[in-house]
Amino acid sequence: MQISDLPYPDPGVPDARSGPRFLLWLGRGQLGGQLKSLAWGMLHFGGVAGLPYAVGLGVDAVVDREPNRLLLVGGLLVLIGVAISVGDAMLHRTAVTNWITAAARVQQLLARKTAELGSALTRRVAAGEVVAVSTGDVEKIGWFVEAVSRFLAAVFAVVLVCVGLVFYAPELGVVVAVGVPLIALASLPLLPRATRRADVQREKAGRATELAADTVAGLRVLRGIGGEELFLGRYREASQEVRRAAVRSARMWALISAIQVVLPGLLLITVVWYGASLALDGRIAVGELVAAFSAVATLLYPLRHFEEIAMAYSFSRPSAKRAARVLSLTRTDPAERPAQAGTVEEPAAGGDLYDPRTGLLAPAGRFTAVVCGDPDLAGRLAERLGGHAMEDHDGGDRGGEEEGAGGSDRDAKDGPPVLLGGVALDDLELDTARRLVLVQDKDPVLLSGTLRELLDVPASGAVESGAALAAAQCADVLDALLQSAPDGVEDPMDARITERGRSLSGGQRQRLALARSLVTDPEVLVLDEPTSAVDSHTEARIADGIAALRGGRTTVVLASSPLLLDRADRVVLIDGGTVAAVGTHRELLHREPLYRAVVTRETDEEQRLAGLGLTELEEALTEIEESA
């Protein structure tokens, strides 16, 4: 795989059982690139390892006054120099390619998982952790993947130097062959402590990133209540904790680096002292002493890669663990999904949408409104209807802090899957499920770009963008976009929308998102509070527009607005997680006190008074006046 070939047509199915398994899976996936990098590394380090022997041969040729042999040694040095230069350049090229392709593969996997899980991802994993994994962690994982081949090439060079010295100058070679492994292994006792400190640093950095992401997301609210300084102080304290952890980690790595400098230096002194005594006794030639000295000095370069691979693994292991945790998440708990004997066929058009957990039934082609007293329950129900909800068995979402600590979300039970036309949505291919059922949550996101690009979404083609904008009552939004557009832009469809639509009001963003959903024209459209940020007059017109444009298509709206509920063909009241009543808005308003309380915002006292007869009502009013 070359960089020009990215992205991968298919990044594959990762082994996300643990961080080390994920790193091993990445390495196997780039076996060809690793072998190329290893081959060029062996050429480069082989040249580095052969350089001392060539220098020793040259010294011997000078001492023995043999110009022809010196000339051959000169040619050998030229070849070694070419091998070192070419090998180094190509090693760097292939190593960087391995780094970038590994990082790109991880990013593709994370993007695919994000698209699969949708908004449920941030309820399973904190948003800051997702950001940390997709940025800094990806780089560290790529670093380890590319460092493996260079480390193996360095091992080859070290073995080559030691074995060569044993044959070239046996007495000195034995000293080097014994000392080098001791130097390479001297840092091993310190690695567990260094790894733990690196883990602590990464954990604190992840928490600081999560805090920063949460602060930025809620900045408007914080400014409204004057809480900027409070959260700034918290982030400052978190940053200081990261700094202190980084210093402690750096001290340990500095000690390891010092060992990698001091011990080879001691070995070099030992070789020079012992070699000089052997040369004075005439037991070795001067060229052999020079070769041994040069070989030990040269070993300092490949030995650095022993320290680097230890650092790369220590930093990439927690990063790989976090990435594996995100990639191991699934749309639903596998234990809850029934075994399928073969390929699940797509449900026939016009099937009912049914949720066995709550008992909610949305008949095909009808406009169904759902009323929930708990707004959080409504949000979770909307996601369940889309086939990608992830919550605990009791319906409560796990908090982000628990998730960051590694809570076992996969043990969550979500009940039987939602059925469309008798077919479980969870058993369908993801693309099919998304095409059949579209869920718009209560806080939809607008991507930056022109309005035309915003509405350029996968759609049936049956609904024109103009009709969708009209149904969503976006006339004033188009005027606002056109007024803020640069000179020369005459068509509001070519006006640009800023990031997340920040230049628009909440109601304007909500209506544009609704128009985008209407353009898609799915088999089933689920809307969670689509008009919560608009005024009542606009809301009434939007309700008429949705009913008219979605005629003959299944539409489910979770809301408590009487204007929307009155336009629905069927209204379902959810209480305690199950269906409590079904009927039209006016029917439920008269016969269901709980429904009336939710829709009209009645207090308990108002409900009690509404249920009293005339005589009882007069007595109750008298009691209230006397108590007052």
Side-chain angles (χ1 to χ4, degrees):
M1 171 65 72
Q2 299 296 322
I3 296 178
S4 58
D5 298 327
L6 294 174
Y8 285 93
D10 180 12
V13 180
D15 185 349
R17 289 176 290 177
S18 65
R21 287 178 182 272
F22 180 60
L23 291 174
L24 181 61
W25 177 84
L26 278 178
R28 289 202 308 265
Q30 293 185 228
L31 191 57
Q34 294 286 356
L35 291 177
K36 287 182 183 179
S37 185
L38 178 59
W40 289 114
M42 291 174 68
L43 176 64
H44 170 66
F45 283 106
V48 172
L51 188 61
Y53 305 115
V55 172
L57 292 175
V59 172
D60 285 338
V62 172
V63 172
D64 296 339
R65 298 180 181 277
E66 297 182 7
N68 292 333
R69 185 152 61 105
L70 183 60
L71 186 62
L72 292 175
V73 172
L76 178 61
L77 287 173
V78 170
L79 291 176
I80 291 177
V82 171
I84 293 175
S85 301
V86 174
D88 188 27
M90 295 306 297
L91 172 61
H92 178 73
R93 178 186 177 91
T94 53
V96 170
T97 299
N98 289 336
W99 186 340
I100 294 177
T101 51
R105 186 190 292 271
V106 176
Q107 286 180 327
Q108 280 188 252
L109 291 170
L110 291 171
R112 185 174 68 181
K113 182 60 66 174
T114 302
E116 175 187 344
L117 300 179
S119 61
L121 173 62
T122 53
R123 268 185 297 281
R124 299 289 298 277
V125 181
E129 185 174 347
V130 176
V131 173
V133 171
S134 58
T135 54
D137 287 340
V138 166
E139 292 186 5
K140 289 177 174 57
I141 291 171
W143 175 28
F144 174 74
V145 171
E146 67 90 10
V148 169
S149 55
R150 289 190 287 110
F151 167 70
L152 294 177
V155 171
F156 166 77
V158 169
V159 173
L160 190 63
V161 168
C162 293
V163 173
L165 273 180
V166 169
F167 286 96
Y168 185 73
E171 293 177 299
L172 288 177
V174 171
V175 176
V176 174
V178 172
V180 168
L182 294 178
I183 294 173
L185 300 176
S187 302
L188 284 181
L190 300 177
L191 286 181
R193 182 178 298 179
T195 301
R196 286 194 297 271
R197 292 189 179 185
D199 289 349
V200 171
Q201 178 193 351
R202 293 298 303 160
E203 180 182 353
K204 292 183 179 297
R207 290 179 180 175
T209 304
E210 293 172 16
L211 181 59
D214 293 340
T215 303
V216 171
L219 189 58
R220 180 176 298 180
V221 177
L222 291 176
R223 286 175 176 171
I225 62 176
E228 305 103 311
E229 290 300 324
L230 174 62
F231 274 78
L232 182 61
R234 291 180 181 178
Y235 182 72
R236 186 181 295 114
E237 182 180 349
S239 299
Q240 291 301 314
E241 290 183 3
V242 174
R243 180 189 62 80
R244 288 190 289 269
V247 170
R248 293 186 73 247
S249 178
R251 286 173 179 168
M252 185 56 63
W253 289 112
L255 178 59
I256 293 175
S257 298
I259 291 175
Q260 293 295 320
V261 173
V262 172
L263 293 185
L266 293 176
L267 177 62
L268 187 62
I269 293 173
T270 301
V271 168
V272 171
W273 173 78
Y274 182 53
S277 63
L278 292 177
L280 290 175
D281 294 340
R283 296 165 60 182
I284 62 171
V286 176
E288 293 176 338
L289 175 60
V290 173
F293 171 79
S294 301
V296 175
T298 302
L299 283 177
L300 294 176
Y301 173 53
L303 282 175
R304 290 195 201 123
H305 291 79
F306 286 72
E307 176 191 353
E308 183 191 12
I309 195 66
M311 291 184 65
Y313 180 73
S314 297
F315 281 95
S316 66
R317 188 177 62 83
S319 297
K321 180 181 178 181
R322 280 192 293 269
R325 178 171 179 265
V326 173
L327 295 175
S328 65
L329 299 176
T330 56
R331 292 168 58 195
T332 54
D333 183 6
E336 291 293 324
R337 299 181 59 178
Q340 297 294 330
T343 303
V344 178
E345 296 183 359
E346 180 178 331
D352 296 340
L353 183 69
Y354 177 64
D355 178 20
R357 178 170 177 178
T358 60
L360 171 64
L361 174 65
R366 304 286 296 279
F367 184 177
T368 302
V370 180
V371 176
C372 297
D374 182 2
D376 292 334
L377 175 60
R380 294 194 296 270
L381 176 59
E383 292 184 350
R384 273 187 55 79
L385 296 178
H388 50 92
M390 296 183 192
E391 72 247 22
D392 296 337
H393 184 61
D394 60 1
D397 295 337
R398 292 184 186 273
E401 185 175 348
E402 256 185 77
E403 294 157 6
S408 179
D409 297 303
R410 280 169 287 175
D411 294 335
K413 307 296 183 182
D414 195 40
V418 172
L419 305 177
L420 178 61
V423 178
L425 285 178
D426 296 342
D427 294 330
L428 296 174
E429 292 292 332
L430 181 62
D431 293 342
T432 303
R434 294 290 183 269
R435 178 172 53 82
L436 293 174
V437 182
L438 174 66
V439 177
Q440 176 182 305
D441 61 24
K442 65 182 64 178
D443 188 22
V445 175
L446 300 183
L447 302 179
S448 59
T450 65
L451 180 56
R452 194 184 310 279
E453 292 170 340
L454 176 71
L455 300 180
D456 184 17
V457 293
S460 67
V463 178
E464 297 291 338
S465 58
L469 290 168
Q473 300 299 311
C474 294
D476 64 313
V477 185
L478 300 182
D479 293 338
L481 289 174
L482 201 55
Q483 290 176 3
S484 62
D487 294 337
V489 178
E490 299 179 355
D491 188 350
M493 297 296 291
D494 295 325
R496 293 196 64 82
I497 299 172
T498 57
E499 180 188 1
R500 300 179 68 91
R502 298 188 188 280
S503 60
L504 302 173
S505 67
Q508 289 173 331
R509 290 195 299 269
Q510 198 172 56
R511 282 177 281 161
L512 284 181
L514 176 60
R516 179 178 58 188
S517 299
L518 293 174
V519 165
T520 304
D521 189 39
E523 182 75 21
V524 178
L525 177 60
V526 180
L527 303 172
D528 185 10
E529 294 287 357
T531 59
S532 59
V534 301
D535 59 80
S536 58
H537 297 290
T538 305
E539 185 177 34
R541 292 195 295 269
I542 290 175
D544 292 334
I546 293 175
L549 197 62
R550 291 288 299 173
R553 304 288 260 173
T554 306
T555 305
V556 180
V557 176
L558 293 98
S560 58
S561 167
L563 293 173
L564 273 174
L565 299 173
D566 195 40
R567 267 67 170 185
D569 302 323
R570 191 169 182 266
V571 179
V572 179
L573 173 64
I574 303 291
D575 181 36
T578 58
V579 173
V582 178
T584 65
H585 168 62
R586 298 178 188 275
E587 292 172 352
L588 295 178
L589 200 60
H590 287 90
R591 76 167 190 254
E592 293 293 337
L594 178 60
Y595 178 84
R596 185 170 56 250
V598 173
V599 173
T600 63
R601 312 296 198 274
E602 286 183 349
T603 63
D604 293 340
E605 183 63 22
E606 289 172 335
Q607 291 182 52
R608 187 181 70 83
L609 293 177
L612 298 178
L614 181 59
T615 304
E616 295 172 328
L617 181 59
E618 291 177 352
E619 294 177 354
L621 291 175
T622 303
E623 292 178 1
I624 293 175
E625 290 176 357
E626 291 177 353
S627 62

